[in-house]
Amino acid sequence: GQQVMQIPQYQHVQEGEDFTTYCNSSTTLSNIQWYKQRPGGHPVFLIQLVKSGEVKKQKRLTFQFGEAKKNSSLHITATQTTDVGTYFCAPGAGNNRKLIWGLGTSLAVNP
Amino acid sequence: EAQVTQNPRYLITVTGKKLTVTCSQNMNHEYMSWYRQDPGLGLRQIYYSMNVEVTDKGDVPEGYKVSRKEKRNFPLILESPSPNQTSLYFCASSLSRGDGNTIYFGEGSWLTVV
């Protein structure tokens, strides 16, 4: 199945600092989705990227899909304590091939 | 409200005692699946179903069974639970299996097998 590597695995930041997590695939993806899981919660869909080089923003969150459609990033500007959680990328391989979720990046924010 | 409901949310059971975790979705989704989440291992798919009476193994199916007799329900069955099945379980559904479909997760079921 399709596999992705997500880095870093953990990130600890001071409130107000920026944060970025990366999702890298060895093969070309048809699309990629990002999910957020709060501590004790369940994964919740954030966004989907489909086009090469696509950039989407949700308030302080910026999502990017690489030109080669093999990697993606999520950048949070000026983190807040509400950003705490684990961010997962979920790749789409196309043709209904099996997805293998990234292991996620756990973000902790010091107030 | 669109939701995936799973029960029980918390369960402590003993080795070998059969249990069922129910899952129901109200979105008329074709695709449903079960995941387990363990520290350092992320989300791993146990079984999935593309439609009624169509189920298939995911990445970690050993020790589990599923059934899909109705579109809305997708129970997970542990015939003889063992301690290595202690985990957080998520039921999920999406419109279809195809790429680009948002996956909706249930709130999770914490299972401890002693």
Side-chain angles (χ1 to χ4, degrees), chain B residues 38-86:
Chain B
D38 303 287
L41 297 177
L43 286 160
R44 295 182 293 167
Q45 194 178 54
I46 302 170
Y47 267 95
Y48 63 91
S49 168
M50 297 220 277
N51 215 324
V52 175
E53 302 292 359
V54 181
T55 63
D56 209 346
K57 296 177 181 179
D59 300 308
V60 288
E62 294 76 22
Y64 305 93
K65 284 175 56 176
V66 292
S67 68
R68 187 94 181 270
K69 293 185 171 59
E70 305 164 285
K71 198 170 187 179
R72 64 183 293 127
N73 296 325
F74 190 45
L76 178 70
I77 303 154
L78 286 73
E79 292 272 3
S80 183
S82 62
N84 64 12
Q85 292 178 297
T86 293

Side-chain angles (χ1 to χ4, degrees), chain A residues 15-28:
Chain A
E15 190 171 22
E17 292 181 341
D18 291 357
F19 159 78
T20 305
T21 174
Y22 300 91
C23 189
N24 299 314
S25 169
S26 57
T27 58
T28 303

Side-chain angles (χ1 to χ4, degrees), chain A residues 1 6 22 49 53-54 60 67 75 87 95:
Chain A
Q6 229 181 307
Y22 300 91
L49 305 170
E54 187 170 15
R60 295 177 294 104
E67 294 289 341
H75 179 83
Y87 294 85
N95 296 320

